[in-house]
Amino acid sequence: MFTKQLKKEVEPIIESIYNDPFIQGIIHGNLKKEAVKHYLKADSLYLNEFAKIYSLLIPKLDDRKGIQFLLGQIDFVMNGEVDAHYTLADYAGIDYKAVIEEGEWYPSSDHYIKHMYYNAYRYSDASFTICAMAPCPYVYQQLALKIAERNDLEGNPLKPWVDFYCTNMDELIGHLDRWVDEFSETASDEELNILRKNFVESCIHEKRFFNMSYNIETWEGY
Ligand SMILES: Cc1ncc(C[n+]2csc(CCO)c2C)c(N)n1
């Protein structure tokens, strides 16, 4: 299956995100508070755009059940993945609602968001956009499962963040994979290559997003 191949190809990227300081900080429960704050400021805006991009997929799909599922996801994302984000805000001792007021599209999140929009407007088939979006649940699920496997999170205040992404992603990933795998059966080699590139690039965007947060990346810091 095409999506299975994609997932195999990005294993080293996920492994490297796991070893980066943001995820290591989650694992050891010592992630610096400023990184969490920067992440939340960027991510609340990223999620707003992610919800809008879901809405751009709807006219491209012909699958009532799938569309109903996406409507639920729009609601879920518009609520800012509430539980996961409140876990982070409580850990950092900050007021989530107040902090996200100051958010911006920093350079790396800006690039990621525009990568998804480009595909939504450039290609009529939903699969191009889906391949740019799918690493979002997939990378988080894989990181969370890998962290949970260690079995050393008892007493870690960020454990609920890990549990959240271990348990909530399967159904979404199932729909996204099914749409892409169906399209891939009749796609040309050139189209398959664009799908592959979109998926790989979004995994790299996920890495850059965590590092952006850890390094407090801004436009001023050029
Ligand atoms: C940069 C970034 N990437 C992924 C997620 C996780 N996430 C965001 S939306 C979504 C799917 C919901 O339908 C998931 C899993 C995040 N919060 N921030």
PDB file of all heavy atoms in Angstrom, residues 6 11 21-22 39 45 50 55 76 83 118 124 131 178 180 187 200 211:
ATOM      1  N   LEU A   6       5.079   5.296   2.370  1.00  0.00           N
ATOM      2  CA  LEU A   6       5.404   6.664   2.827  1.00  0.00           C
ATOM      3  C   LEU A   6       5.855   6.628   4.288  1.00  0.00           C
ATOM      4  O   LEU A   6       6.826   7.274   4.676  1.00  0.00           O
ATOM      5  CB  LEU A   6       4.175   7.582   2.719  1.00  0.00           C
ATOM      6  CG  LEU A   6       3.649   7.903   1.333  1.00  0.00           C
ATOM      7  CD1 LEU A   6       2.448   8.844   1.425  1.00  0.00           C
ATOM      8  CD2 LEU A   6       4.734   8.534   0.474  1.00  0.00           C
ATOM      9  N   GLU A  11      10.493   7.107   8.642  1.00  0.00           N
ATOM     10  CA  GLU A  11      10.930   6.604   9.967  1.00  0.00           C
ATOM     11  C   GLU A  11      12.154   7.362  10.511  1.00  0.00           C
ATOM     12  O   GLU A  11      12.171   7.747  11.680  1.00  0.00           O
ATOM     13  CB  GLU A  11      11.235   5.099   9.903  1.00  0.00           C
ATOM     14  CG  GLU A  11      10.041   4.238  10.252  1.00  0.00           C
ATOM     15  CD  GLU A  11      10.305   2.758   9.984  1.00  0.00           C
ATOM     16  OE1 GLU A  11      11.485   2.355   9.970  1.00  0.00           O
ATOM     17  OE2 GLU A  11       9.317   2.027   9.790  1.00  0.00           O
ATOM     18  N   PRO A  21      15.568  18.341  21.144  1.00  0.00           N
ATOM     19  CA  PRO A  21      15.396  18.767  22.542  1.00  0.00           C
ATOM     20  C   PRO A  21      13.935  18.956  22.988  1.00  0.00           C
ATOM     21  O   PRO A  21      13.654  18.784  24.171  1.00  0.00           O
ATOM     22  CB  PRO A  21      16.172  20.091  22.622  1.00  0.00           C
ATOM     23  CG  PRO A  21      16.443  20.507  21.224  1.00  0.00           C
ATOM     24  CD  PRO A  21      16.422  19.284  20.380  1.00  0.00           C
ATOM     25  N   PHE A  22      13.034  19.285  22.072  1.00  0.00           N
ATOM     26  CA  PHE A  22      11.642  19.495  22.516  1.00  0.00           C
ATOM     27  C   PHE A  22      11.046  18.192  23.050  1.00  0.00           C
ATOM     28  O   PHE A  22      10.532  18.136  24.172  1.00  0.00           O
ATOM     29  CB  PHE A  22      10.788  20.049  21.362  1.00  0.00           C
ATOM     30  CG  PHE A  22       9.457  20.622  21.809  1.00  0.00           C
ATOM     31  CD1 PHE A  22       9.304  21.993  22.012  1.00  0.00           C
ATOM     32  CD2 PHE A  22       8.352  19.800  22.032  1.00  0.00           C
ATOM     33  CE1 PHE A  22       8.077  22.534  22.429  1.00  0.00           C
ATOM     34  CE2 PHE A  22       7.128  20.325  22.451  1.00  0.00           C
ATOM     35  CZ  PHE A  22       6.998  21.699  22.645  1.00  0.00           C
ATOM     36  N   TYR A  39       5.555  27.455  21.584  1.00  0.00           N
ATOM     37  CA  TYR A  39       4.838  26.392  20.870  1.00  0.00           C
ATOM     38  C   TYR A  39       3.332  26.697  20.867  1.00  0.00           C
ATOM     39  O   TYR A  39       2.680  26.624  19.818  1.00  0.00           O
ATOM     40  CB  TYR A  39       5.104  25.044  21.542  1.00  0.00           C
ATOM     41  CG  TYR A  39       4.293  23.902  20.974  1.00  0.00           C
ATOM     42  CD1 TYR A  39       4.742  23.176  19.873  1.00  0.00           C
ATOM     43  CD2 TYR A  39       3.057  23.551  21.528  1.00  0.00           C
ATOM     44  CE1 TYR A  39       3.996  22.137  19.353  1.00  0.00           C
ATOM     45  CE2 TYR A  39       2.298  22.511  21.008  1.00  0.00           C
ATOM     46  CZ  TYR A  39       2.775  21.811  19.922  1.00  0.00           C
ATOM     47  OH  TYR A  39       2.018  20.789  19.387  1.00  0.00           O
ATOM     48  N   LEU A  45      -2.502  29.124  16.271  1.00  0.00           N
ATOM     49  CA  LEU A  45      -2.770  29.687  14.940  1.00  0.00           C
ATOM     50  C   LEU A  45      -2.658  28.629  13.852  1.00  0.00           C
ATOM     51  O   LEU A  45      -3.431  28.619  12.890  1.00  0.00           O
ATOM     52  CB  LEU A  45      -1.808  30.846  14.655  1.00  0.00           C
ATOM     53  CG  LEU A  45      -1.987  32.047  15.583  1.00  0.00           C
ATOM     54  CD1 LEU A  45      -0.957  33.120  15.270  1.00  0.00           C
ATOM     55  CD2 LEU A  45      -3.396  32.620  15.469  1.00  0.00           C
ATOM     56  N   PHE A  50      -5.362  24.820  10.071  1.00  0.00           N
ATOM     57  CA  PHE A  50      -5.580  23.395   9.774  1.00  0.00           C
ATOM     58  C   PHE A  50      -7.080  23.128   9.620  1.00  0.00           C
ATOM     59  O   PHE A  50      -7.511  22.420   8.702  1.00  0.00           O
ATOM     60  CB  PHE A  50      -4.985  22.541  10.901  1.00  0.00           C
ATOM     61  CG  PHE A  50      -4.648  21.142  10.498  1.00  0.00           C
ATOM     62  CD1 PHE A  50      -3.433  20.846   9.901  1.00  0.00           C
ATOM     63  CD2 PHE A  50      -5.549  20.098  10.705  1.00  0.00           C
ATOM     64  CE1 PHE A  50      -3.107  19.540   9.522  1.00  0.00           C
ATOM     65  CE2 PHE A  50      -5.232  18.793  10.328  1.00  0.00           C
ATOM     66  CZ  PHE A  50      -4.015  18.519   9.741  1.00  0.00           C
ATOM     67  N   SER A  55     -11.717  22.330   5.662  1.00  0.00           N
ATOM     68  CA  SER A  55     -12.939  22.765   4.972  1.00  0.00           C
ATOM     69  C   SER A  55     -12.718  22.845   3.460  1.00  0.00           C
ATOM     70  O   SER A  55     -13.650  22.683   2.691  1.00  0.00           O
ATOM     71  CB  SER A  55     -13.450  24.081   5.542  1.00  0.00           C
ATOM     72  OG  SER A  55     -12.722  25.148   4.971  1.00  0.00           O
ATOM     73  N   PHE A  76     -13.056  19.734  16.554  1.00  0.00           N
ATOM     74  CA  PHE A  76     -11.979  19.309  17.454  1.00  0.00           C
ATOM     75  C   PHE A  76     -10.775  20.260  17.348  1.00  0.00           C
ATOM     76  O   PHE A  76     -10.219  20.714  18.350  1.00  0.00           O
ATOM     77  CB  PHE A  76     -11.612  17.877  17.039  1.00  0.00           C
ATOM     78  CG  PHE A  76     -10.427  17.263  17.723  1.00  0.00           C
ATOM     79  CD1 PHE A  76     -10.524  16.790  19.020  1.00  0.00           C
ATOM     80  CD2 PHE A  76      -9.221  17.092  17.050  1.00  0.00           C
ATOM     81  CE1 PHE A  76      -9.435  16.178  19.639  1.00  0.00           C
ATOM     82  CE2 PHE A  76      -8.139  16.482  17.661  1.00  0.00           C
ATOM     83  CZ  PHE A  76      -8.249  16.026  18.959  1.00  0.00           C
ATOM     84  N   ASP A  83      -7.444  19.485  25.348  1.00  0.00           N
ATOM     85  CA  ASP A  83      -6.800  18.786  26.464  1.00  0.00           C
ATOM     86  C   ASP A  83      -5.284  18.832  26.355  1.00  0.00           C
ATOM     87  O   ASP A  83      -4.589  19.128  27.331  1.00  0.00           O
ATOM     88  CB  ASP A  83      -7.270  17.328  26.535  1.00  0.00           C
ATOM     89  CG  ASP A  83      -8.733  17.250  26.927  1.00  0.00           C
ATOM     90  OD1 ASP A  83      -9.250  18.263  27.453  1.00  0.00           O
ATOM     91  OD2 ASP A  83      -9.350  16.188  26.723  1.00  0.00           O
ATOM     92  N   TYR A 118      -0.953  25.746  -0.386  1.00  0.00           N
ATOM     93  CA  TYR A 118      -0.514  25.660  -1.780  1.00  0.00           C
ATOM     94  C   TYR A 118      -1.131  24.429  -2.445  1.00  0.00           C
ATOM     95  O   TYR A 118      -1.676  24.500  -3.542  1.00  0.00           O
ATOM     96  CB  TYR A 118       1.020  25.604  -1.861  1.00  0.00           C
ATOM     97  CG  TYR A 118       1.527  25.331  -3.256  1.00  0.00           C
ATOM     98  CD1 TYR A 118       1.593  26.359  -4.197  1.00  0.00           C
ATOM     99  CD2 TYR A 118       1.899  24.043  -3.641  1.00  0.00           C
ATOM    100  CE1 TYR A 118       2.029  26.105  -5.490  1.00  0.00           C
ATOM    101  CE2 TYR A 118       2.334  23.778  -4.931  1.00  0.00           C
ATOM    102  CZ  TYR A 118       2.400  24.814  -5.854  1.00  0.00           C
ATOM    103  OH  TYR A 118       2.816  24.554  -7.126  1.00  0.00           O
ATOM    104  N   SER A 124      -6.612  19.739  -7.860  1.00  0.00           N
ATOM    105  CA  SER A 124      -8.029  19.496  -7.582  1.00  0.00           C
ATOM    106  C   SER A 124      -8.235  18.241  -6.747  1.00  0.00           C
ATOM    107  O   SER A 124      -9.160  18.182  -5.942  1.00  0.00           O
ATOM    108  CB  SER A 124      -8.831  19.443  -8.887  1.00  0.00           C
ATOM    109  OG  SER A 124      -8.371  18.370  -9.655  1.00  0.00           O
ATOM    110  N   CYS A 131      -1.802  14.554   1.713  1.00  0.00           N
ATOM    111  CA  CYS A 131      -0.413  14.140   1.979  1.00  0.00           C
ATOM    112  C   CYS A 131       0.380  15.231   2.690  1.00  0.00           C
ATOM    113  O   CYS A 131       1.326  14.930   3.420  1.00  0.00           O
ATOM    114  CB  CYS A 131       0.280  13.718   0.691  1.00  0.00           C
ATOM    115  SG  CYS A 131      -0.135  12.022   0.272  1.00  0.00           S
ATOM    116  N   ARG A 178      -6.872   5.909   3.628  1.00  0.00           N
ATOM    117  CA  ARG A 178      -7.790   5.290   2.659  1.00  0.00           C
ATOM    118  C   ARG A 178      -7.952   6.189   1.427  1.00  0.00           C
ATOM    119  O   ARG A 178      -7.887   5.720   0.293  1.00  0.00           O
ATOM    120  CB  ARG A 178      -9.144   5.033   3.341  1.00  0.00           C
ATOM    121  CG  ARG A 178     -10.189   4.378   2.452  1.00  0.00           C
ATOM    122  CD  ARG A 178     -11.396   3.899   3.252  1.00  0.00           C
ATOM    123  NE  ARG A 178     -11.913   4.911   4.184  1.00  0.00           N
ATOM    124  CZ  ARG A 178     -12.681   5.929   3.843  1.00  0.00           C
ATOM    125  NH1 ARG A 178     -13.059   6.098   2.581  1.00  0.00           N
ATOM    126  NH2 ARG A 178     -13.095   6.815   4.747  1.00  0.00           N
ATOM    127  N   VAL A 180      -5.905   8.494   0.252  1.00  0.00           N
ATOM    128  CA  VAL A 180      -4.667   8.564  -0.535  1.00  0.00           C
ATOM    129  C   VAL A 180      -4.416   7.225  -1.242  1.00  0.00           C
ATOM    130  O   VAL A 180      -4.056   7.198  -2.424  1.00  0.00           O
ATOM    131  CB  VAL A 180      -3.466   8.960   0.355  1.00  0.00           C
ATOM    132  CG1 VAL A 180      -2.160   8.846  -0.418  1.00  0.00           C
ATOM    133  CG2 VAL A 180      -3.654  10.372   0.896  1.00  0.00           C
ATOM    134  N   ALA A 187      -3.081   6.867  -9.963  1.00  0.00           N
ATOM    135  CA  ALA A 187      -2.233   8.056 -10.153  1.00  0.00           C
ATOM    136  C   ALA A 187      -1.024   7.727 -11.027  1.00  0.00           C
ATOM    137  O   ALA A 187      -0.560   6.584 -11.074  1.00  0.00           O
ATOM    138  CB  ALA A 187      -1.772   8.577  -8.799  1.00  0.00           C
ATOM    139  N   VAL A 200       6.713  13.745   2.897  1.00  0.00           N
ATOM    140  CA  VAL A 200       8.055  13.844   3.498  1.00  0.00           C
ATOM    141  C   VAL A 200       8.313  15.277   3.974  1.00  0.00           C
ATOM    142  O   VAL A 200       8.788  15.508   5.095  1.00  0.00           O
ATOM    143  CB  VAL A 200       9.143  13.390   2.496  1.00  0.00           C
ATOM    144  CG1 VAL A 200      10.537  13.681   3.025  1.00  0.00           C
ATOM    145  CG2 VAL A 200       8.991  11.909   2.163  1.00  0.00           C
ATOM    146  N   ASN A 211      11.495  22.542  16.679  1.00  0.00           N
ATOM    147  CA  ASN A 211      12.751  23.271  16.875  1.00  0.00           C
ATOM    148  C   ASN A 211      12.523  24.784  16.901  1.00  0.00           C
ATOM    149  O   ASN A 211      13.175  25.501  17.661  1.00  0.00           O
ATOM    150  CB  ASN A 211      13.773  22.873  15.806  1.00  0.00           C
ATOM    151  CG  ASN A 211      14.316  21.475  16.059  1.00  0.00           C
ATOM    152  OD1 ASN A 211      14.305  21.001  17.198  1.00  0.00           O
ATOM    153  ND2 ASN A 211      14.765  20.794  15.010  1.00  0.00           N
TER     154      ASN A 211
END
